[in-house]
Amino acid sequence: MIFDPGSGTTALNGTPAVATRAGFRLRGQSSSTFEKTPYRIEFWDNDDDDADYPVLGMPAQSDWVLRGPFPDKSLIREALVYDLGREMGLYAPRYRFVEFYRNTDATPVGDDDYMGVYMIVETIKNSKERLDLKQLDEDDLTLPKITGGYIWKFEWMAAEEPTLPCTGPAATCWNYLEVADPDPLQPEQADWLRGYLQQFHDVLRAPNFADPETGYRAYIEVGTFIDQMILNELSREMDAYIRSAYFYKDRDTKIFAGPLWDYDLTFGVGGFFQNDQTAGWQYQQIRQPVANDWFNQLMRDPAFVNEVRLRWQSLRRGLLSDASLRARIDALAAPLTNGAQRNFQRWPNLTSPMIGFFFTPTAPTWRGQVDYMRDWMLQRAAWLDSTAGWGGPTNTPPPTTAPPTTPPPTTPPPTTPPPTTPPPTTPPPPTTAPPPTTAPPGSACTATYSVTSQWPGGFQGEVRVTAGSAPISNWTVSWTFTNGQTVSQAWNATVTSQGASVTARNVAYNGALGPGASTSFGFLGSWNGTNGTPAVSCTAS
């Protein structure tokens, strides 16, 4: 039974929006061992056939997953990644937060059956309402039909049949590749897909692997790989690249990265292979035997690295800016306040350092857990902004990096939040922002001040600091507002104000810059009347 909250609350003595027979089973590798158990559910009719029902505003289907955030004590890590990915253009399943009761005896449903806050999530499948690819029938065994659509994933140490083998030296081959669709997979289809993937895999190791015409770009939609990598690195998902790592290929298209799946061991939760640290690369945490090293190979191409940097820096000025991330986290958390209290009464694990096999933060309140996740994420983003990450200068990409000519399969529209969910804080449409100003060049550092967004009474600013011809260890930027502006909040720098004078100093992770390298910090401010652009100065040591 599914009870639609409608006005924001509901009760078990209300009228269910859906009441149906269903089958359910445990799901997940490690998560199936948790007390707060995740389930795969399938709606059935009275003949035990699949029955499609809409769920809380999501399109009708029979197959769903109940995900119970457990090591993720913020409850929102996975939802956040799905939302970000969807807005970036990747395929991500729809979801809704629910409170779940599981009753397996003959007594009425009651408090003892309460299981806590869950997400009900669409499964990944090839269907019109989900990942809408061409359907491969059992007799589609020749060109062109045999070229798609396929969905496969890497499941390190856990892949189930049908799996595809790789040929070549074991040290450079993929492993644990499981085909999720079509089902059943015909031998001819398996051979065709394995051969196509083998060609791509071998090209990644060829001397001319980066050739724009005959190299890896002939096989993959590069933009989807870039966006998936950005989310994997920002979240530092413990099993990124090797488990629940999905890819798909439609008929007569290239390989797309995605759909996104399984992002609960993220943003400082997990602890294996250094994924709890805000510095370093997750894609370099290779486990043996290797599931796949496709991203490691792609990162050998300077053009690919440059495109990742360009995309990251662009996203940091909008969707992935600190201000946007803060607002999105607040919007996801707000409607869960009461449910979270009930969840942690049922599962009092907030201060437990280990949940199952995984290290977890020990903030004593749910709100403290949300704050930990937010702070970890912003520190991780700051490291990615550094010259060790994706900061620094970029080059204009060549024409071959233009958006793909073949669009990806239709993806679901963005998830519409329930009526009680406050929308992300978004400034009104911008008015004309003042042009950027740059401090006079010097031997130590220069700084460029710009307004990235402006609305009546408020604005968001960014200052980019660039080292001169010699490396620097610390920097200080200063300016004086001449139109009464004030700074209310800042990130990636320690900002102090005295009257109209503003001073910004680096924080621990972005003070050291190599020759010509750059970093940036941002701030929110207020203005009234005129938002003029001040002159800025930069000093360094």
Side-chain angles (χ1 to χ4, degrees):
M1 292 183 291
I2 300 174
F3 298 84
D4 192 334
S7 62
T9 60
T10 191
L12 293 177
N13 60 3
T15 301
V18 173
T20 179
R21 299 178 68 248
F24 70 101
R25 63 173 173 84
L26 292 175
R27 68 161 305 278
Q29 298 296 322
S30 303
S31 56
S32 63
T33 66
F34 297 152
E35 297 173 279
K36 187 181 178 184
T37 318
Y39 295 101
R40 175 77 177 259
I41 58 176
E42 185 177 77
F43 298 154
W44 294 340
D45 62 19
N46 288 335
D47 296 320
D48 289 344
D49 293 326
D50 289 1
D52 293 341
Y53 288 96
V55 173
L56 301 174
M58 295 181 284
Q61 259 288 347
S62 59
D63 296 314
W64 302 85
V65 166
L66 277 166
R67 301 270 295 168
F70 201 49
D72 172 17
K73 301 172 201 173
S74 77
L75 306 177
I76 62 173
R77 281 173 165 83
E78 192 156 55
L80 175 66
V81 175
Y82 288 171
D83 287 352
L84 292 174
R86 192 179 299 109
E87 292 196 31
M88 289 165 65
L90 295 173
Y91 181 94
R94 301 178 184 93
Y95 69 88
R96 292 291 186 270
F97 284 108
V98 297
E99 290 184 84
F100 175 46
Y101 290 75
R102 183 192 65 193
N103 179 282
T104 55
D105 56 35
T107 63
V109 177
D111 291 344
D112 290 344
D113 301 314
Y114 182 71
M115 292 290 288
V117 172
Y118 275 64
M119 295 166 62
I120 188 165
V121 187
E122 293 179 321
T123 59
I124 294 172
K125 63 187 297 187
N126 182 2
S127 71
K128 184 177 178 60
E129 299 81 11
R130 297 196 178 165
L131 186 56
D132 189 10
L133 310 179
K134 296 291 191 301
Q135 292 285 347
L136 265 168
D137 296 329
E138 294 183 15
D139 57 353
D140 289 336
L141 306 178
T142 58
L143 296 173
K145 290 185 177 180
I146 200 172
T147 66
Y150 297 96
I151 306 172
W152 67 93
K153 59 179 176 174
F154 290 98
E155 289 287 1
W156 184 71
M157 303 291 285
E160 299 178 356
E161 294 294 338
T163 60
L164 294 184
C166 170
T167 61
T172 61
C173 252
W174 74 70
N175 297 279
Y176 312 116
L177 192 158
E178 175 183 335
V179 180
D181 205 280
D183 183 16
L185 178 69
Q186 299 305 308
E188 294 87 348
Q189 296 165 349
D191 288 344
W192 187 91
L193 179 59
R194 189 207 61 78
Y196 186 85
L197 295 180
Q198 190 71 56
Q199 290 176 22
F200 165 58
H201 187 82
D202 293 345
V203 162
L204 281 174
R205 288 159 176 76
N208 62 341
F209 83 106
D211 185 281
E213 300 296 330
T214 62
Y216 65 82
R217 294 175 189 272
Y219 293 86
I220 66 172
E221 291 295 355
V222 175
T224 64
F225 279 70
I226 288 173
D227 282 352
Q228 188 180 78
M229 185 173 200
I230 285 174
L231 287 175
N232 285 347
E233 293 299 330
L234 174 63
S235 67
R236 204 145 201 206
E237 208 283 321
M238 195 186 84
D239 290 327
Y241 309 105
I242 64 167
R243 268 192 184 164
S244 300
Y246 278 87
F247 300 87
Y248 62 93
K249 182 191 179 304
D250 206 352
R251 191 167 299 164
D252 296 323
T253 73
K254 300 176 185 179
I255 299 169
F256 287 78
L260 301 176
W261 190 254
D262 201 3
Y263 279 84
D264 59 334
L265 301 177
T266 49
F267 304 114
V269 169
F272 297 164
F273 297 92
Q274 301 179 326
N275 81 299
D276 58 334
Q277 299 180 14
T278 56
W281 295 111
Q282 188 63 26
Y283 78 91
Q284 293 178 347
Q285 311 304 316
I286 298 176
R287 305 185 203 178
Q288 297 295 337
V290 174
N292 79 91
D293 64 351
W294 293 351
F295 284 87
N296 302 70
Q297 297 299 322
L298 292 171
M299 289 295 284
R300 295 189 299 124
D301 178 18
F304 182 85
V305 175
N306 182 66
E307 290 174 68
V308 178
R309 285 178 174 169
L310 283 167
R311 178 66 165 155
W312 168 255
Q313 293 179 17
S314 173
L315 289 167
R316 285 288 281 161
R317 293 190 289 270
L319 180 67
L320 300 185
S321 71
D322 284 8
S324 177
L325 291 172
R326 289 174 187 272
R328 189 175 294 271
I329 289 169
D330 289 344
L332 278 170
L336 296 180
T337 301
N338 294 331
Q341 180 179 355
R342 292 186 286 269
N343 180 88
F344 291 107
Q345 288 174 347
R346 176 67 176 86
W347 307 109
N349 63 0
L350 286 168
T351 58
S352 300
M354 294 290 294
I355 302 296
F357 310 107
F358 309 114
F359 295 97
T360 63
T362 56
T365 65
W366 167 69
R367 187 67 234 187
Q369 293 284 340
V370 173
D371 292 346
Y372 173 92
M373 183 197 74
R374 179 203 61 211
D375 294 345
W376 191 100
M377 182 190 310
L378 297 182
Q379 291 176 41
R380 176 65 174 163
W383 184 85
L384 291 170
D385 285 338
S386 73
T387 53
W390 291 321
T394 58
N395 301 316
T396 302
T400 54
T401 60
T405 55
T406 304
T410 303
T411 59
T415 301
T416 302
T420 56
T421 305
T425 304
T426 303
T431 57
T432 302
T437 61
T438 304
S443 59
C445 62
T446 58
T448 300
Y449 176 109
S450 60
V451 174
T452 59
S453 184
Q454 180 173 292
W455 56 96
F459 71 102
Q460 179 173 327
E462 179 182 87
V463 176
R464 178 162 292 276
V465 179
T466 303
S469 57
I472 62 176
S473 299
N474 296 282
W475 48 261
T476 300
V477 176
S478 59
W479 68 87
T480 300
F481 284 126
T482 58
N483 302 118
Q485 303 102 314
T486 58
V487 173
S488 58
Q489 179 183 345
W491 50 95
N492 296 340
T494 301
V495 176
T496 58
S497 299
Q498 185 172 4
S501 299
V502 180
T503 302
R505 295 179 174 84
N506 65 270
V507 288
Y509 48 78
N510 64 356
L513 299 175
S518 298
T519 189
S520 64
F521 65 91
F523 60 91
L524 297 179
S526 61
W527 63 286
N528 186 14
T530 303
N531 189 17
T533 303
V536 292
S537 62
C538 184
T539 59
S541 59

